[in-house]
Amino acid sequence: MSGLKSRAAVPPWGLAVAAILSVQLGSALSVDLIREIGAGGTAWLRLSMGAVIFLIIARPPLSRVRRSDVPVLLGLGITTGLVTVGFLAAIEHIPLGTAVAIEFLGPLTVAALQSHSLRALIWPGLALCGVLLLTEPWHGAVDLTGILFAGLAAVGWGVYITLTQRIGDRFTGISALSLTIPVAAVTAAVIGIPQAAGHLSPGVLAAAAGLAILLPVLPFALEMLALRRMTATAFGTLMALEPAVGLLLGLIVLHQQPSPIQFLGILLVVVAGAAAQRGGRRKTPAEQLPGGSTLDPIP
C-alpha cells in the first residue's frame, strides 16, 4: 500500500510547476479585471481577499514580533503591495511574457550581487539581452510605460528578497504572509480604492476572490509542499521557467502572439535564470519563504 501511495504522489517538481502555472494564470486572468477597475484596484481587491484568507487559516504571530522586526515586516508588506500594483500596471501595457521577463531581472541581479563573483554578472546580462529581444526597441514601437512599471516591479522584487532574508527564519510559512499581506493590501488601497470606487459589483468581488485563490493562496501552498521535498536550488531552477510560462499563457489566454526573435529572448531569460541557480545550496528556512531568494512575491 505504501508503495502505491509513493507512486501516486505528485512529484515535487510537479508541485513547483503547478505553482508557476497558478501564478501566471492568475496574472493572465487579471487583465480583464484590470480593464474594469484598473491595476491599482485589481491589486487592492486581490491582496485584500488574500489577506482575509490568510488571516482565516493562520493566526498572525504578533507575540513573536520584536521591535526590530517591525520596520522589516512593514517594508515587506509595502514592497509586496507596490510590486503587485507595478506588475499589474505593466501587463496592462505590455505582453505578459515580456513583463515577467523584465521583472525577473530583479532576483537575478540580487543573486549575482550576493555571489560576490564577477562571473555571476553574466546571467543578469544575458537576461537583459533576452529582454531587449522581447521589447525590440529597434522597431521604435516600445511601450515605455509598460517597461517602466515592469522595471519598478523588478526593483521591488529585489528589495523584497533582501528584506525577506533579513527576517531570517523567525517567521516562516503562512504566519509570515498573515503579517505582510494585510500591510500589502493597505498599501495597494492608496491607489486601488480611488480606481475601483464606483465600479465594484458582486461579479467584480467574486472575480477578485477567485484570483486571490489562484494568486497568492494556491501557489504558496504548492510551493510549501514542493520545498519540503526538494532543495531551494532545484526549486529556483524551476522558477526560471516563469517567463516561458508567462509567454505561453499570454499566447493561450490573451492571444498575445510573440515573434520568433521574442521566443529567442524568452529562451535567453530562462537559461540565465536556471544558470544563476548553479552552485547554490540550501541554507536556512528563511531562504525558502515566499518572496525569498527562490520564490515569487505576489505579482
Side-chain angles (χ1 to χ4, degrees):
M1 182 67 70
S2 61
L4 288 175
K5 286 184 179 179
S6 64
R7 283 193 290 270
V10 178
W13 63 264
L15 296 170
V17 171
I20 294 172
L21 287 169
S22 184
V23 168
Q24 297 307 322
L25 182 60
S27 296
L29 294 178
S30 292
V31 171
D32 287 338
L33 195 58
I34 290 171
R35 295 192 184 106
E36 291 194 50
I37 59 173
T42 301
W44 166 59
L45 278 183
R46 214 174 66 181
L47 287 168
S48 296
M49 298 289 186
V52 170
I53 293 172
F54 283 125
L55 288 172
I56 290 173
I57 62 180
R59 181 178 298 177
L62 296 177
S63 61
R64 292 178 52 201
V65 177
R66 301 169 183 165
R67 182 176 298 180
S68 60
D69 295 329
V70 173
V72 183
L73 288 170
L74 288 176
L76 280 170
I78 292 170
T79 302
T80 300
L82 294 177
V83 168
T84 305
V85 173
F87 183 81
L88 293 179
I91 64 175
E92 189 177 12
H93 295 274
I94 59 178
L96 177 61
T98 303
V100 176
I102 294 173
E103 188 190 36
F104 206 62
L105 292 174
L108 278 178
T109 303
V110 169
L113 294 175
Q114 290 182 343
S115 71
H116 304 293
S117 169
L118 290 177
R119 183 180 299 179
L121 295 175
I122 293 173
W123 308 124
L126 182 64
L128 182 59
C129 291
V131 167
L132 288 174
L133 293 180
L134 280 164
T135 54
E136 299 180 322
W138 48 85
H139 286 169
V142 176
D143 192 320
L144 290 178
T145 301
I147 291 174
L148 177 61
F149 278 124
L152 290 174
V155 173
W157 193 355
V159 172
Y160 191 94
I161 289 170
T162 304
L163 292 176
T164 300
Q165 290 172 339
R166 284 190 57 189
I167 283 292
D169 59 355
R170 286 188 22 76
F171 303 99
T172 59
I174 294 177
S175 65
L177 292 174
S178 67
L179 289 169
T180 58
I181 298 302
V183 176
V186 172
T187 302
V190 176
I191 302 172
I193 290 179
Q195 285 190 352
H199 302 285
L200 298 179
S201 66
V204 166
L205 294 176
L211 289 170
I213 292 172
L214 275 176
L215 181 66
V217 178
L218 182 59
F220 170 75
L222 293 170
E223 290 167 350
M224 184 169 60
L225 290 172
L227 278 165
R228 286 176 178 171
R229 297 161 57 193
M230 66 194 303
T231 66
T233 299
F235 188 88
T237 302
L238 283 173
M239 288 296 103
L241 293 173
E242 285 218 41
V245 174
L247 184 76
L248 178 62
L249 289 178
L251 175 62
I252 295 172
V253 179
L254 303 174
H255 310 293
Q256 296 170 341
Q257 180 66 54
S259 66
I261 198 168
Q262 289 176 319
F263 272 112
L264 176 59
I266 282 289
L267 179 61
L268 291 180
V269 175
V270 170
V271 169
Q277 298 296 324
R278 294 183 61 190
R281 61 185 179 87
R282 197 173 190 177
K283 295 179 180 179
T284 66
E287 293 171 331
Q288 299 163 40
L289 287 170
S293 59
T294 61
L295 302 186
D296 290 331
I298 293 80

